[in-house]
């Protein structure tokens, strides 16, 4: 079994490479022929492996050098890469997914029917990619990247923390062997055949876009002075007005799920807080029995998220299940952000929060809102402001869903296009 990382030069690409290599898998990292890609490839080849940096963590995992072993290697030869792997994880930002699958198609991936993982997919990605790869080509959509990570040097991966649980949707036709492989590689993820659960649990669209736009002038001013701007603390936790807007956008997302008939947690009209409290209490009681047993904890959390995998979560509930920030009923999002340890340091504004999360997050969310007659003015104003700042028209180039009918999108989101896919 060989795992392919398409986008080794990205920060998550190196996190995947280091993590899977360290777990003993044969991993092949591919990087495009660019200056940055060549720099990363050369560093890993020269070192004979990759450095994994870890901060102090509850798993007691130390920073270490992980050597290339077995059949693991790095390459910029895409044809050789495709011919040698059993699974491809695309770790580039979602705005590059289309050109990535076009390159993979040209390298003959379709003939081998190799599953592709989008990490993450953001919202409503697969219908566009099926136009390139063919209907029901096997695509796995992650609702989030499994790592909070950085890439401080060309030959180094920095994993700040691994996320406790996340959702994935199997979209297309998979063999049982392919599904077993995915489950083995990612025991923390819960697999679904309902794409709405990953598309609508795209939390980046909620946290990133409006925060960056509403803090834009401050971010520019801090950068000009060479001062650090803490994206989540300075941008949300210390600005309740920003948190209020994020919560309004979050409610639009939950209303779309509700309109599709999907259960939610945190929808104002039906918050289901009492159900959540009982479920989380049960999870934490089980976790307390295995405090230092990381693999047992992963199994417990996966079992829990399997049970929850028919729902769309509010941002506050997402923080609870993803980062263990215990939900306090009625607490504002900015206060919950202020209690999230992973956001307290090394969280800086990134341009992709606009260039990626708006076209593949807010734009399809707005299109879905209009498709299902849901008021979405609060997020439309953020898109309008971005167009004003960029001088462009992001609705024209983003995932606007215009080429798909409401019935097709509904069937896609509910998994009705793929009922017999496994």
């Amino acid at each position: 079994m060989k795992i392919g990382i398409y986008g080794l030069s990205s920060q998550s690409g190196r996190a995947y490479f280091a993590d899977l290599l360290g777990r003993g898998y044969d991993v092949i990292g591919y990087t495009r022929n660019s200056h940055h890609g060549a720099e990363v490839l050369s560093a890993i080849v020269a070192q004979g492996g990759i450095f994994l940096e870890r901060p102090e963590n509850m798993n007691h995992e130390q920073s270490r050098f992980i050597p290339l072993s077995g059949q693991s290697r790095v390459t910029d030869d895409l044809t050789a890469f495709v011919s040698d792997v059993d699974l491809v994880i695309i770790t580039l930002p979602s705005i590059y997914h289309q050109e990535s699958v076009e390159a993979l198609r040209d390298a003959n991936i379709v003939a081998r029917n190799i599953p592709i993982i989008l990490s993450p997919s953001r919202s409503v990605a697969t219908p566009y990619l099926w136009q390139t790869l063919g209907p029901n080509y096997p695509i796995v959509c992650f609702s989030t990247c499994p790592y909070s990570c950085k890439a401080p040097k060309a030959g180094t991966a920095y994993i700040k923390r691994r996320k406790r649980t996340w959702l994935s949707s199997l979209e297309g036709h998979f063999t049982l062997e392919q599904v077993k492989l995915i489950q083995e590689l990612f025991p923390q993820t819960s697999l679904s055949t309902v794409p709405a659960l990953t598309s609508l649990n795209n939390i980046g669209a909620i946290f990133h876009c409006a925060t960056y736009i509403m803090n834009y002038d401050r971010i520019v001013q801090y950068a000009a002075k060479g001062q650090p701007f803490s994206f989540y603390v300075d941008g949300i936790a210390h600005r309740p007005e920003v948190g209020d807007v994020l919560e309004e956008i979050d409610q639009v997302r939950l209303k779309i799920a509700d309109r599709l008939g999907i259960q939610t947690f945190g929808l104002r009209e039906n918050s289901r807080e009492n159900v959540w409290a009982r479920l989380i209490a049960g999870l934490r009681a089980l976790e307390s029995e295995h405090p230092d047993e990381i693999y047992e904890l992963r199994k417990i959390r996966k079992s829990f998220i399997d049970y929850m995998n028919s729902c769309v979560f509010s941002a506050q509930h997402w923080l609870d299940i993803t980062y263990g920030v215990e939900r306090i009923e009625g607490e504002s999002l900015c206060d919950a952000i202020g209690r999230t340890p992973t956001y307290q340091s090394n969280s800086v504004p990134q341009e992709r929060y606009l260039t990626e999360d708006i076209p593949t997050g807010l734009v399809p969310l707005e299109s879905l809102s209009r498709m299902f007659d849901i008021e979405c003015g609060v997020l439309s104003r953020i898109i309008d402001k971005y167009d004003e700042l960029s001088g462009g028209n992001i609705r024209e180039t983003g995932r606007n869903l215009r080429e798909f009918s409401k019935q097709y999108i509904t069937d896609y989101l509910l998994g009705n296009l793929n009922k017999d896919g496994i």
Side-chain angles (χ1 to χ4, degrees), residues 270-282:
N270 182 23
S271 66
R272 303 176 70 215
E273 294 286 1
N274 58 333
V275 178
W276 183 264
R278 291 197 296 270
L279 288 169
I280 286 292

